[in-house]
C-alpha cells in the first residue's frame, strides 16, 4: 500500500485517518506537530511500542525533497539563497529565500516543475510544463528550507509554475501552511500569485481564505500588448480578469496585488501607467508591485535602468496608485523574479504515473 505523506494533510485530516492506529488521536496530534514543526517523523518519540510505531511508519511517511544545489547572493538585508531541490522522481523544483529586513524572511516556492503559460519574460516558461507538484512536495520546500536553517516568516507562490494551474494542490497547501496544528503561518503571511486563471480564482474564492493575499501578474494594460508577452491574454481578456477580481473580495479591506514586470521600451511609457490605473480603478484597494525585468538565459530585452524605473514609479503615483518597488535580489545567481528554471530538465520525460499524494 502506498504510504500517505503527512505533509499533504492538515492536522485534523491526520487525526481523522489515524483513529484505528495505536494511541489514535493523541499520537496523531503529536506526530503531526513534530513532522511539520521539526521536519521529522519519529513515532518512537511519542511513547508508542515498537509494534505501534511500525503501524504508523507502515502507513505514513514524511519524504522531503533534497537540496541538490544552493547559490547565495549577499544583499543589504542579508543573503538571498536559491535552493534547487530534487523530487522523488529526479525532477527538480526551485525555491528562493528572500531576506525582508528586521530578521524576517520570505520563501518563494514552486507549485509545478516547469510551466505551460509561456510568459516571454520568464525562464521557467522555456521548460514547458513537466508536471504539477503534489501538496506534500509544495510543503516539502518549506520544511526543507527550515531544516537547512532558514527561517520562513512568509510564503509566496511565485517560484516555478502557475499556482492556479495546479489549484487543488495549492489550495490544500495553503490549508496545511496555515493550520495552527502544524506550520501555523497566518493567512496574511501567504500570497498566491496568478497570471489570471479565472477558474482558479473562483476555486480560491470557494475555499474561503479570508485573510490570504492574492496577486496577479498584469505586465501590460491592454489585451494586444499583454497577449504578445503573455499567451494567457489570448484566452482571458483584461475585462474578464478585472471582473473576476471585482468578484473576489474575501474581506472589506482586501487589497489585490498587481505585479508589473517593467520591460524597457515595451511596457514602460506614460500611457501604460494610465492603462494600469484604468484597470485598477474598479478593483477597490490595490498595491502595484513594480518588478524590474531580470534577464534570463534568453533575454527578451535588457534590465531597466534606475532612471527608467523611477520615471515609471512617478507615472503610477501621478495616477494615485500605491506602488511598491520590488528590490532586485538574487539576479547574479538566477534567483530573481522570472529567472527560475532549468531548461535542461526538459530532456527528462514528464512522469506518467502520479506521484505520491
Ligand atoms: S511567469 Fe509564472 S506563469 Fe508565466 S511562465 Fe513564468 S512561471 Fe509560468
Amino acid at each position: 500500500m502506498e504510504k500517505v505523506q503527512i505533509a499533504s494533510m492538515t492536522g485534523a485530516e491526520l487525526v481523522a485517518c489515524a483513529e484505528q492506529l495505536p494511541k489514535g488521536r493523541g499520537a496523531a496530534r503529536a506526530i503531526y506537530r513534530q513532522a511539520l514543526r521539526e521536519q521529522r517523523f519519529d513515532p518512537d518519540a511519542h511513547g508508542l511500542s515498537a509494534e505501534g510505531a511500525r503501524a504508523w511508519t507502515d502507513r505514513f511517511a514524511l519524504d522531503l525533497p533534497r537540496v541538490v544545489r544552493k547559490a547565495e547572493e549577499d544583499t543589504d538585508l542579508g543573503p538571498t539563497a536559491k535552493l534547487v531541490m530534487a523530487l522523488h522522481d529526479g525532477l527538480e523544483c526551485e525555491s528562493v529565500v528572500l531576506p525582508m529586513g528586521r530578521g524576517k524572511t520570505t520563501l518563494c516556492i514552486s507549485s509545478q516543475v516547469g510551466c505551460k503559460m509561456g510568459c516571454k519574460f520568464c525562464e521557467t516558461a522555456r521548460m514547458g510544463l513537466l508536471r504539477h507538484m503534489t501538496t506534500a512536495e509544495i510543503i516539502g520546500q518549506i520544511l526543507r528550507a527550515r531544516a537547512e536553517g532558514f527561517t520562513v516568516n512568509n510564503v509566496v507562490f511565485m517560484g516555478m509554475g502557475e499556482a492556479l494551474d495546479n489549484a487543488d494542490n495549492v489550495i490544500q497547501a495553503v490549508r496545511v501552511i496555515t493550520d495552527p496544528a502544524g506550520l501555523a503561518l497566518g493567512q496574511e503571511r501567504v500570497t498566491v500569485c496568478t497570471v489570471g486563471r479565472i477558474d482558479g480564482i473562483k476555486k480560491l474564492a470557494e475555499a474561503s481564505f479570508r485573510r490570504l493575499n492574492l496577486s496577479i501578474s498584469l505586465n501590460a494594460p491592454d489585451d494586444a500588448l499583454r497577449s504578445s508577452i503573455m499567451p494567457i491574454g489570448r484566452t482571458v481578456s483584461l475585462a474578464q480578469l478585472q471582473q473576476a477580481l471585482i468578484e473576489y473580495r474575501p474581506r472589506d479591506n482586501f487589497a489585490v496585488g498587481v505585479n508589473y514586470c517593467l520591460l524597457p521600451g515595451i511596457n514602460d511609457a506614460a500611457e501604460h501607467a494610465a492603462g494600469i490605473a484604468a484597470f485598477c480603478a474598479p478593483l477597490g484597494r490595490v498595491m502595484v508591485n513594480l518588478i524590474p525585468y531580470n534577464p534570463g538565459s534568453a533575454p527578451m530585452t535588457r534590465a531597466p535602468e534606475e532612471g527608467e524605473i523611477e520615471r515609471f514609479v512617478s507615472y503610477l503615483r501621478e495616477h494615485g496608485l500605491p506602488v511598491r518597488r520590488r528590490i532586485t535580489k538574487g539576479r547574479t545567481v538566477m534567483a530573481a523574479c522570472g529567472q527560475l528554471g532549468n531548461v535542461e530538465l526538459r530532456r527528462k520525460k514528464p512522469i506518467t504515473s502520479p506521484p505520491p499524494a
Side-chain angles (χ1 to χ4, degrees):
M1 191 171 65
E2 189 130 14
K3 294 185 186 182
V4 179
Q5 293 293 324
I6 296 175
S8 70
M9 316 169 90
T10 62
E13 286 164 348
L14 183 65
V15 167
C17 68
E19 300 243 315
Q20 312 303 324
L21 289 178
K23 297 211 174 179
R25 289 165 170 260
R29 284 194 200 96
I31 285 170
Y32 188 76
R33 198 180 166 91
Q34 181 192 51
L36 277 287
R37 297 198 182 169
E38 297 171 30
Q39 309 96 39
R40 68 193 176 97
F41 175 41
D42 180 11
D44 286 330
H46 306 290
L48 290 160
S49 64
E51 198 186 337
R54 200 164 46 250
W56 276 89
T57 51
D58 281 350
R59 183 132 175 234
F60 296 101
L62 181 72
D63 295 329
L64 301 187
R66 273 178 310 117
V67 174
V68 288
R69 285 187 297 285
K70 183 152 94 174
E72 292 196 6
E73 178 190 289
D74 276 330
T75 71
D76 291 345
L77 300 175
T80 291
K82 172 157 126 174
L83 306 175
V84 181
M85 301 189 196
L87 305 172
H88 77 284
D89 54 2
L91 291 179
E92 292 170 1
C93 67
E94 299 185 2
S95 320
V96 182
V97 183
L98 296 155
M100 305 308 288
R102 294 197 211 117
K104 301 285 184 211
T105 306
T106 293
L107 186 69
C108 176
I109 58 174
S110 300
S111 54
Q112 297 178 311
V113 181
C115 184
K116 69 178 186 198
M117 305 313 288
C119 305
K120 293 264 172 45
F121 48 83
C122 172
E123 187 75 10
T124 311
R126 300 184 62 228
M127 297 171 66
L129 176 64
L130 278 77
R131 69 168 170 86
H132 292 320
M133 288 170 65
T134 63
T135 298
E137 288 170 334
I138 294 170
I139 299 297
Q141 297 169 87
I142 302 171
L143 302 185
R144 176 53 71 202
R146 284 189 167 168
E148 294 285 312
F150 295 103
T151 349
V152 178
N153 305 105
N154 307 290
V155 172
V156 295
F157 284 84
M158 288 180 74
M160 287 162 61
E162 157 56 38
L164 295 184
D165 189 41
N166 185 15
D168 293 342
N169 289 344
V170 165
I171 287 170
Q172 174 67 359
V174 173
R175 288 192 192 104
V176 175
I177 293 168
T178 57
D179 183 356
L183 285 170
L185 257 67
Q187 286 181 16
E188 64 283 355
R189 302 200 167 281
V190 183
T191 303
V192 171
C193 181
T194 175
V195 286
R197 284 289 296 260
I198 287 176
D199 52 343
I201 294 174
K202 288 191 174 137
K203 278 190 179 180
L204 211 52
E206 283 159 18
S208 302
F209 297 117
R210 288 199 59 233
R211 289 174 293 122
L212 180 75
N213 299 306
L214 174 68
S215 66
I216 54 127
S217 292
L218 185 64
N219 306 324
D222 66 81
D223 286 320
L225 179 58
R226 193 162 191 262
S227 302
S228 73
I229 55 178
M230 299 173 72
I232 187 145
R234 294 181 211 139
T235 48
V236 176
S237 70
L238 283 169
Q240 289 170 311
L241 177 56
Q242 194 181 48
Q243 187 55 38
L245 294 172
I246 289 169
E247 288 164 18
Y248 185 86
R249 294 222 55 87
R251 60 182 185 273
D252 288 345
N253 65 351
F254 174 70
V256 65
V258 176
N259 298 342
Y260 197 86
C261 176
L262 196 67
L263 302 158
I266 296 174
N267 66 358
D268 64 343
E271 76 233 35
H272 298 125
I276 297 171
F279 176 82
C280 293
L283 301 185
R285 289 182 65 196
V286 299
M287 173 56 74
V288 180
N289 298 307
L290 193 66
I291 306 168
Y293 173 59
N294 294 301
S297 62
M300 70 176 287
T301 180
R302 60 179 172 79
E305 289 167 8
E306 199 50 41
E308 293 168 322
I309 300 168
E310 279 169 18
R311 189 181 60 200
F312 200 71
V313 167
S314 54
Y315 288 156
L316 292 168
R317 292 205 169 123
E318 279 162 23
H319 289 281
L321 288 168
V323 189
R324 205 160 37 195
R325 188 198 147 170
R326 194 73 64 77
I327 306 295
T328 301
K329 295 172 194 149
R331 195 183 270 169
T332 60
V333 290
M334 290 289 279
C337 252
Q339 288 187 313
L340 300 189
N342 177 358
V343 179
E344 293 298 307
L345 279 180
R346 258 197 322 213
R347 300 213 184 95
K348 296 199 179 188
K349 281 209 164 69
I351 58 163
T352 46
S353 60

